[in-house]
Amino acid sequence: MSTYVTTPIYYVNAMPHLGHAYTTIVTDTYSRFRRLCGDDVRFQTGTDEHGEKIAEAAAKEGISPREYVDKISAAFQATWPKLSVAQDYTIRTTDKDHVKTVQDILQQVYDNGDIYFSEYSGHYCQGCERFLTEKELVDGKCPDHQVAPKQISEQNYFFRMSKYQDWLVEHIKANPEYITPERYRNEVLSFLSEPLEDLCISRPTSRLTWGIPLPFDEKFVTYVWFDALINYLTGIGYPNGPDFEKYWSVAEHVIAKDILKPHAIYWPTMIKAMGLPAYKRLHVHGYWNVDETKMSKSIGNVVRPQDLIDAYGVDTVRYFVLREMSFGLDSSFSTDSIVARQNSDLANDLGNLFSRSLTMIVKYADGKVPPPDQDPESESDRELMLAVEKMLVAYEQHMQQFNFHKALQVVWGVIGLLNRYIVTNAPWELAKDEAMAKRLDNVLYSLAESLRIITLVLRPIMPDATGKMAAALGLSEAFLEARLPEAGKWGGIEVGTAISSPKQLFPRIEKKKEQQKQAQPEKSKKGKGKKKEEPQITEDGLVTFDQFGKFELRVAEITAVDTIAKADRLLKLTVLAPEERTIVAGIAEHYSPEELIGKQVIIVANLKPVKLRGVLSQGMVLAAKEKFEDGSEKLVLSTIAGTIAPGSRVA
Ligand code: MSP
């Protein structure tokens, strides 16, 4: 099968921002997904370089349009590899072959009688670069640009778009997948329920020269949209290039809702007038806002891809935008939301699962994938294999429908299940019992195999991180060849594959301010100079309610565990309570790091922080201790009898 998928070609009057990055990441992810399914894929992006907006922006900078477009299109091209976007072709509308194709098409449509010369007067919005109908105006203004359009009366060339209205309505109705999500399909059909006007496709050179000259009248240049949409054909060598036949029949365009009308109405009618078959699918997404506000230069809240990559790394950025936005709806970006996704989904859930599983294989199986010995009686084995199988089916469906957030939800369902599988099967306990050696092998095999499949399905989303995951799983080469659905079948990892303990895949982002606050709870609560009141035990050895109330006990969830150099008995726990803090606990002889991750324990949360062996301890973990006659001790951490939100008060 072949896949041809495109982004819009971006105007070069502004530098790349989160919105451009999103559409391009989505398109890259989809193209990687189709490749993973074995398709021959062509992925195209590019820049839209003609028109009034660009000419104006260049004039503002005091440089020629040519110099200007070269500069900004280079900035777009430099952004994509940083976002791990790997397009097959980058088109610029100032490319010679594109200019020629546009002129050839204009001539053909003109010769066929679908372009005519006429006078028009109407409301022209410069921002939209088109005439708006009376109905589109809100309080006399363009609703998108909030400015009153200019009243322009001018002779121009027109494309007989109205001629194809009935065909278009029929085509959309007969092909429910043509425009998705459905809300946008309905929007287009509703617009088409009114008579369609013809499209003005020229600009007189007296007003604009920065455009493609009409082949049949040199006093005019081509309207930027008629020029721009044709990029989707030029890029695959229309009309005679070898790739054209292969890719045009499967063309899929990805856009945001702002350019729905040109893509769902102008473009299909233009294609029809050229005598070509319709494109296959149009995928329309919503808008990224920032902190619930429109992203705009004047507000000064434009989010730049480079800043995000610097702060969070490319994998987090890609994961975040795909997981956070429901394709089709608007979404709001905030620093808190991306930090939360990195810490919770990536560092805690995926990162910990990965490092804890691989560390156990290194420790208990000599760093080699042990042989499986599935236990038909084991509820947890059956549950795991079934869940992985179901996940793969749902993942493929959601990815195909551009429901990336849902695809990620189902993958994270399995990640959660695997974390529970580890707790249920407690490999560290199995390792203590010779008789359980086979069971231990099987649990470790199941972990390695599940991680292989998770790595595979996350590859289109996080190409860099999954490359590291594949290397740690000893899969680098086979991984590149793997194709779904075959590669998703259980049993793909080879027994004996050498596993290595991975470096931290996703570092947690420390919230510095909160930590500082946490480190000085007394100061912030009591104010300076006031003597601290210590709870004191009364003479009869009892404490009052008041005194006990001074201890703040909270539920804390352990998210990471590290050993401390030259301190065999101590472990450094990173916990959420609900903010992140570190606690040093003398429990290393009683617990291994991997069995602690994910546990909810009880801590004293308002102890004055102290440094132990150079590590700041911001609280104390409660535990029960039993002493035996031979002097040995058993220590069991105090936990809570159910799961509760980290940070809940224990009273
Ligand atoms: N040049 C035209 C497109 C021609 S395609 C034949 C154009 N360019 S643009 O630079 O304005 O890009 C618009 C596209 O950028 C949107 O459709 C979307 O893909 C992306 N985004 C720009 N701002 C966005 C948000 N705030 N949120 C999400 N994506 C948005 O229109």
Side-chain angles (χ1 to χ4, degrees):
M1 281 233 310
S2 302
T3 288
Y4 173 41
V5 64
T6 66
T7 72
I9 47 171
Y10 304 111
Y11 282 133
V12 289
N13 63 343
M15 296 295 260
H17 60 56
L18 174 66
H20 307 121
Y22 175 71
T23 316
T24 316
I25 290 171
V26 159
T27 314
D28 180 72
T29 299
Y30 180 70
S31 75
R32 288 176 188 268
F33 164 70
R34 290 308 322 162
R35 249 177 217 129
L36 184 61
C37 296
D39 278 13
D40 166 355
V41 177
R42 172 92 169 182
F43 159 27
Q44 178 172 308
T45 185
T47 39
D48 192 352
E49 307 189 357
H50 290 127
E52 288 167 45
K53 282 190 205 188
I54 313 295
E56 261 179 22
K60 238 189 205 166
E61 286 208 7
I63 53 178
S64 71
R66 184 80 238 179
E67 271 177 282
Y68 179 79
V69 297
D70 283 350
K71 186 175 97 177
I72 313 271
S73 74
F76 271 92
Q77 291 212 36
T79 301
W80 305 140
K82 293 182 195 163
L83 286 167
S84 296
V85 164
Q87 73 273 30
D88 299 293
Y89 190 63
T90 311
I91 192 163
R92 298 180 58 183
T93 52
T94 48
D95 290 342
K96 276 205 186 89
D97 59 341
H98 176 74
V99 172
K100 178 173 182 327
T101 306
V102 170
Q103 290 184 324
D104 288 351
I105 289 172
L106 280 164
Q107 189 66 55
Q108 182 207 341
V109 178
Y110 182 72
D111 292 345
N112 286 350
D114 277 347
I115 290 176
Y116 61 91
F117 192 62
S118 175
E119 171 134 359
Y120 187 85
S121 71
H123 313 287
Y124 188 76
C125 171
Q126 196 138 3
C128 297
E129 295 212 28
R130 66 181 178 92
F131 287 97
L132 302 182
T133 60
E134 199 71 55
K135 248 184 126 182
E136 282 178 292
L137 304 181
V138 178
D139 299 331
K141 291 181 181 165
C142 162
D144 285 346
H145 297 94
Q146 289 302 319
V147 278
K150 280 189 208 160
Q151 194 62 34
I152 289 189
S153 191
E154 176 174 275
Q155 286 196 317
N156 264 311
Y157 285 89
F158 290 82
F159 165 54
R160 281 188 213 283
M161 198 156 72
S162 55
K163 178 174 159 190
Y164 299 101
Q165 176 167 11
D166 293 345
W167 164 81
L168 182 58
V169 171
E170 284 313 305
H171 186 78
I172 296 173
K173 284 189 176 161
N175 295 279
E177 298 261 287
Y178 188 58
I179 303 168
T180 54
E182 207 183 347
R183 57 196 347 241
Y184 297 110
R185 175 175 183 263
N186 294 340
E187 200 178 309
V188 174
L189 284 174
S190 146
F191 185 82
L192 286 172
S193 63
E194 302 279 326
L196 197 56
E197 286 179 21
D198 288 343
L199 181 68
C200 174
I201 54 131
S202 64
R203 297 289 178 264
T205 44
S206 56
R207 191 149 70 79
L208 176 75
T209 51
W210 186 240
I212 300 178
L214 291 188
F216 41 81
D217 191 340
E218 61 190 16
K219 294 189 296 306
F220 291 85
V221 292
T222 313
Y223 168 48
V224 69
W225 271 106
F226 201 95
D227 157 358
L229 288 160
I230 289 173
N231 91 86
Y232 301 133
L233 291 175
T234 318
I236 48 172
Y238 174 81
N240 300 318
D243 285 335
F244 176 69
E245 287 292 322
K246 176 159 69 175
Y247 293 123
W248 181 246
S249 57
V250 291
E252 300 184 55
H253 305 308
V254 185
I255 58 164
K257 60 184 183 181
D258 56 335
I259 50 177
L260 177 62
K261 206 183 280 175
H263 281 82
I265 296 175
Y266 305 176
W267 186 222
T269 53
M270 282 167 67
I271 296 169
K272 186 74 182 160
M274 280 178 238
L276 291 177
Y279 60 74
K280 193 168 139 206
R281 300 204 288 173
L282 178 66
H283 307 276
V284 191
H285 64 77
Y287 247 48
W288 277 99
N289 297 319
V290 173
D291 295 323
E292 311 295 337
T293 316
K294 195 172 180 231
M295 183 164 48
S296 104
K297 230 175 165 180
S298 54
I299 301 176
N301 63 351
V302 177
V303 178
R304 301 287 173 202
Q306 184 65 59
D307 295 341
L308 293 181
I309 298 164
D310 291 346
Y312 309 105
V314 60
D315 291 301
T316 298
V317 175
R318 289 176 65 108
Y319 172 79
F320 169 77
V321 292
L322 293 167
R323 176 65 186 81
E324 195 75 7
M325 183 175 253
S326 302
F327 194 89
L329 302 178
D330 289 353
S331 214
S332 187
F333 173 87
S334 71
T335 306
D336 281 352
S337 55
I338 191 166
V339 168
R341 289 271 174 219
Q342 168 140 350
N343 283 352
S344 152
D345 301 11
L346 296 175
N348 274 4
D349 299 344
L350 175 61
N352 276 341
L353 169 67
F354 206 77
S355 65
R356 140 191 221 214
S357 305
L358 267 51
T359 305
M360 287 193 284
I361 297 174
V362 169
K363 191 162 162 191
Y364 302 129
D366 259 350
K368 296 205 177 67
V369 174
D373 188 10
Q374 244 80 43
D375 178 357
E377 297 299 309
S378 161
E379 178 74 22
S380 66
D381 282 7
R382 271 203 313 260
E383 190 190 6
L384 177 61
M385 286 168 68
L386 195 68
V388 169
E389 210 175 288
K390 274 180 144 175
M391 177 270 279
L392 280 162
V393 174
Y395 164 87
E396 278 199 55
Q397 275 171 1
H398 292 318
M399 293 290 282
Q400 190 57 27
Q401 294 308 320
F402 276 58
N403 281 321
F404 305 102
H405 71 293
K406 285 193 185 160
L408 288 168
Q409 268 168 2
V410 297
V411 177
W412 256 254
V414 169
I415 291 172
L417 181 68
L418 281 164
N419 274 319
R420 292 197 295 282
Y421 179 82
I422 294 177
V423 175
T424 310
N425 288 286
W428 49 91
E429 292 297 337
L430 299 173
K432 290 179 193 157
D433 186 351
E434 271 294 303
M436 299 308 280
K438 274 194 162 183
R439 178 77 198 134
L440 174 63
D441 277 357
N442 189 63
V443 168
L444 298 178
Y445 177 89
S446 300
L447 288 173
E449 175 58 357
S450 308
L451 289 177
R452 179 189 70 83
I453 295 172
I454 285 174
T455 307
L456 192 71
V457 295
L458 290 182
R459 199 168 110 193
I461 292 109
M462 295 185 281
D464 292 21
T466 49
K468 290 180 200 146
M469 287 157 73
L473 282 166
L475 294 174
S476 295
E477 277 169 34
F479 189 63
L480 292 173
E481 302 302 316
R483 294 286 172 265
L484 286 176
E486 295 73 30
K489 293 206 180 100
W490 188 267
I493 199 159
E494 271 182 44
V495 173
T497 305
I499 299 287
S500 48
S501 264
K503 296 229 167 65
Q504 197 179 26
L505 280 173
F506 303 101
R508 294 186 62 80
I509 298 174
E510 311 284 343
K511 280 196 175 169
K512 291 206 181 82
K513 268 194 199 145
E514 271 187 36
Q515 265 194 342
Q516 277 162 9
K517 250 195 255 158
Q518 203 49 55
Q520 301 142 4
E522 303 303 342
K523 254 192 206 161
S524 53
K525 279 191 188 139
K526 305 230 178 222
K528 274 188 194 158
K530 205 168 170 193
K531 194 170 179 297
K532 205 169 61 188
E533 232 181 89
E534 297 290 350
Q536 287 189 349
I537 296 183
T538 54
E539 274 173 14
D540 53 8
L542 301 175
V543 289
T544 64
F545 270 97
D546 240 20
Q547 286 166 338
F548 179 70
K550 298 219 159 79
F551 291 99
E552 197 181 313
L553 302 184
R554 281 201 238 154
V555 174
E557 190 162 310
I558 303 175
T559 57
V561 182
D562 296 292
T563 50
I564 299 177
K566 294 189 197 140
D568 293 349
R569 293 179 49 246
L570 300 182
L571 287 177
K572 176 186 157 194
L573 311 179
T574 306
V575 302
L576 294 178
E579 74 296 320
E580 191 176 271
R581 51 169 85 194
T582 52
I583 295 181
V584 177
I587 56 173
E589 289 165 347
H590 306 275
Y591 287 92
S592 65
E594 61 266 23
E595 67 188 294
L596 287 170
I597 294 170
K599 265 201 178 7
Q600 294 200 320
V601 292
I602 299 175
I603 63 165
V604 183
N606 61 339
L607 280 184
K608 187 172 180 147
V610 286
K611 268 203 170 171
L612 296 171
R613 300 289 174 123
V615 180
L616 188 69
S617 187
Q618 300 161 300
M620 183 189 277
V621 178
L622 297 187
K625 211 180 241 180
E626 184 178 359
K627 290 202 168 168
F628 299 105
E629 280 179 359
D630 62 359
S632 61
E633 290 177 342
K634 177 179 182 182
L635 181 139
V636 179
L637 286 172
S638 62
T639 53
I640 207 95
T643 309
I644 197 164
S648 302
R649 285 289 292 263
V650 179

